[in-house]
Amino acid sequence: MIKPFEKKVWLSSPTMHGEELEYVKKAYETNWMSTVGENINEVERQIAEKVGCKYAVALSAGTAALHLCTKLAGEKLYGMPKTSEGTLQGHKVFCTDMTFDATVNPIAYENGEAVFIDTEYDTWNMDPRALEKAFEIYPEVRLVVVAHLYGTPAKMDEIRKICKAHNTLIIEDAAESLGATLKGQQTGTFGDYNAISFNGNKIITGSSGGMFLTDNKADAEKVRKWSTQSRENAPWYQHEEIGYNYRMSNVIAGVVRGQIPHLEEHIAQKKAIYERYKAGFKGLPVTMNPYSPDSEPNFWLSCLIIHPEAMCKQVRGDSEVAYIKEPGKSCPTEILETLASYNAEGRPIWKPMHLQPIYRINAFVTKDGNGRANSNAYIAGEKLTDVGADIFQRGLCLPSDNKMMAEEQDAVIEIIRKCFE
Ligand SMILES: *Cc1c(COP(=O)(O)O)cnc(C)c1O
């Protein structure tokens, strides 16, 4: 008999080490309680060095970084808009479909129109074949936003090749994948504009925060300026363009600074969790979230996907879900509810953007063409026409907290095994 966990087992919670508090204290004691200070300078220097880029600009959130990436791209492609318009005014942008909405929303901030590109089974990221298809349908598109889901690098070689052939800029959303590499190259360095996040549940955290990464000095300077209300170099507050209050606080930077030395250790812990699940699920009709052999993920979240023949009926509406228990079968809902009853936290896969009410009218392209034409994602047991809806239907994120003990994880594995009885 497994007893419920006395202390909640989290999906992914902050893992602090003590140094964070020292740097925060230093900010306090020297009175750099502001958006300037040594912690900010240091985290920018250290992250640029770690990731292997020339410039890093510390911002209030990964979303802020993505917004300024998007604005830079829009300005470069289409020039400066009128103040009432966004830089992408009316232009289509190709974007990862199965991701957190923070990847996509900045396109709307700049008045662009996201076109969602379907997912592939190999890495759960943007499918290069669907991207190729999208260029056949919309050859005018000049910008692609790619995310690395759950810390697993997307197929950037293929994606970059396609983008190059179509003379397209790339925004890389590496919010979940700091420290992950593809052929030895760090994610966050593949795009023309790159963003990372220090949100509370990411691989390292500042409690919040994010960064813009680039090798382009002018872009870094622009982002720095935009993020501090676009002040011109003048003796008074002079403004020639729209500004934002997006700079990172020196207190938050203190937390990030204390976390940076622990990035590799966090990745090693997350990898051990992934491997323990993989071994523990032997014989079950499930597979772990996959990655290509030429990549080394940061294993931020361990996920599983249930084989089609082992799925019991599960129907999801906009806010409700139902399933019918069948012997020998299970579904993400049953597993998540059972984990919760034992005081452990799992999470559904990111619900694809093309299925979100807010983006219902946006185009969606699969490797076979128009993904809106024949999607029957919600019909359990039938052949699904888009990969994102299928992974959302059959997959889930497992408790992946760095501080989870091996015995706790073994209990989680046992609880999941029982769901298939
Ligand atoms: C967390 C996350 C973001 C946003 O980062 P914040 O720092 O929370 O604004 C963007 N994209 C993805 C894929 C994320 O997981």
Side-chain angles (χ1 to χ4, degrees):
M1 262 294 282
I2 303 158
K3 284 192 304 235
F5 299 107
E6 266 173 48
K7 244 178 53 206
K8 183 162 176 171
V9 176
W10 295 95
L11 179 83
S12 180
S13 72
T15 301
M16 293 294 125
H17 302 275
E19 291 111 298
E20 299 88 349
L21 206 54
E22 295 305 310
Y23 291 120
V24 169
K25 205 166 141 205
K26 207 164 154 198
Y28 182 92
E29 284 170 355
T30 56
N31 206 34
W32 287 102
M33 301 296 282
S34 177
T35 51
V36 281
E38 188 191 312
N39 287 335
I40 299 176
N41 301 340
E42 266 306 301
V43 295
E44 287 183 343
R45 189 187 63 76
Q46 290 179 19
I47 289 288
E49 188 182 298
K50 224 178 228 315
V51 172
C53 65
K54 285 201 183 118
Y55 308 97
V57 184
L59 300 169
S60 55
T63 309
L66 285 162
H67 182 196
L68 298 185
C69 285
T70 309
K71 194 175 157 96
L72 278 174
E75 213 186 78
K76 172 143 188 190
L77 290 169
Y78 308 114
M80 275 270 255
K82 298 195 210 89
T83 33
S84 61
E85 293 179 346
T87 52
L88 296 172
Q89 193 66 38
H91 295 285
K92 287 187 168 59
V93 176
F94 294 152
C95 186
T96 293
D97 178 55
M98 199 172 78
T99 182
F100 186 38
D101 72 341
T103 309
V104 185
N105 286 339
I107 298 170
Y109 301 166
E110 290 301 315
N111 293 359
E113 186 188 325
V115 171
F116 300 114
I117 308 299
D118 198 16
T119 310
E120 41 118 14
Y121 288 110
D122 293 355
T123 70
W124 293 10
N125 288 306
M126 181 185 282
D127 185 346
R129 292 164 303 176
L131 180 63
E132 190 84 71
K133 199 80 192 172
F135 277 114
E136 284 173 26
I137 306 173
Y138 306 104
E140 74 278 14
V141 169
R142 307 285 311 281
L143 180 59
V144 178
V145 184
V146 189
H148 305 289
L149 206 74
Y150 303 133
T152 301
K155 290 183 179 163
M156 291 312 293
D157 283 351
E158 286 91 330
I159 289 170
R160 283 216 291 193
K161 208 156 147 202
I162 296 165
C163 287
K164 196 162 177 218
H166 293 272
N167 195 20
T168 311
L169 296 174
I170 297 177
I171 292 174
E172 197 187 348
D173 179 355
E176 299 180 0
S177 65
L178 181 60
T181 56
L182 180 65
K183 292 183 183 162
Q185 186 181 339
Q186 292 271 331
T187 60
T189 62
F190 289 94
D192 296 280
Y193 313 100
N194 311 281
I196 57 171
S197 166
F198 301 113
N199 183 334
N201 71 7
K202 299 282 152 73
I203 192 90
I204 59 169
T205 183
S207 73
S208 66
M211 265 185 195
F212 170 74
L213 307 178
T214 185
D215 283 337
N216 185 310
K217 190 169 183 211
D219 285 345
E221 282 170 358
K222 225 171 212 179
V223 164
R224 215 175 277 279
K225 179 182 165 192
W226 285 343
S227 71
T228 49
Q229 301 291 19
S230 296
R231 278 184 71 177
E232 297 298 331
N233 194 5
W236 46 81
Y237 280 78
Q238 177 84 3
H239 301 287
E240 289 174 14
E241 48 185 339
I242 293 286
Y244 304 86
N245 181 8
Y246 278 174
R247 194 71 167 133
M248 182 184 278
S249 145
N250 192 49
V251 178
I252 299 290
V255 183
V256 177
R257 191 176 174 186
Q259 289 263 291
I260 291 172
H262 298 280
L263 175 61
E264 286 76 17
E265 172 192 334
H266 285 192
I267 293 173
Q269 288 164 342
K270 296 277 192 184
K271 185 173 184 178
I273 289 168
Y274 180 96
E275 297 295 345
R276 196 174 189 88
Y277 275 130
K278 196 170 176 178
F281 292 146
K282 275 228 169 74
L284 280 190
V286 303
T287 307
M288 296 295 292
N289 48 328
Y291 57 94
S292 4
D294 58 358
S295 74
E296 185 62 25
N298 71 5
F299 300 94
W300 175 53
L301 292 189
S302 284
C303 305
L304 65 73
I305 184 163
I306 300 170
H307 299 169
E309 70 281 3
M311 274 287 289
C312 66
K313 269 204 166 56
Q314 172 190 253
V315 182
R316 281 171 166 161
D318 269 351
S319 56
E320 286 174 316
V321 59
Y323 69 94
I324 301 166
K325 179 65 195 159
E326 286 175 69
K329 298 184 176 186
S330 189
C331 63
T333 306
E334 182 188 12
I335 294 172
L336 291 171
E337 285 179 0
T338 309
L339 284 173
S341 74
Y342 284 94
N343 202 22
E345 184 189 30
R347 190 159 73 182
I349 299 298
W350 296 125
K351 181 173 176 173
M353 289 299 124
H354 78 277
L355 297 175
Q356 301 287 354
I358 190 170
Y359 289 119
R360 208 161 258 165
I361 59 163
N362 293 55
F364 167 57
V365 182
T366 71
K367 65 181 187 342
D368 303 316
N370 179 0
R372 296 280 185 204
N374 48 8
S375 177
N376 57 354
Y378 285 113
I379 304 166
E382 287 195 14
K383 195 170 167 290
L384 293 159
T385 52
D386 72 78
V387 176
D390 182 36
I391 296 175
F392 175 61
Q393 176 75 357
R394 297 193 284 122
L396 69 126
C397 306
L398 299 159
S400 307
D401 198 59
N402 297 65
K403 298 168 294 309
M404 178 168 60
M405 313 287 281
E407 311 82 70
E408 291 173 317
Q409 194 182 347
D410 289 343
V412 168
I413 292 166
E414 203 45 45
I415 291 163
I416 293 170
R417 282 196 161 273
K418 285 215 154 43
C419 289
F420 286 92
E421 284 178 357

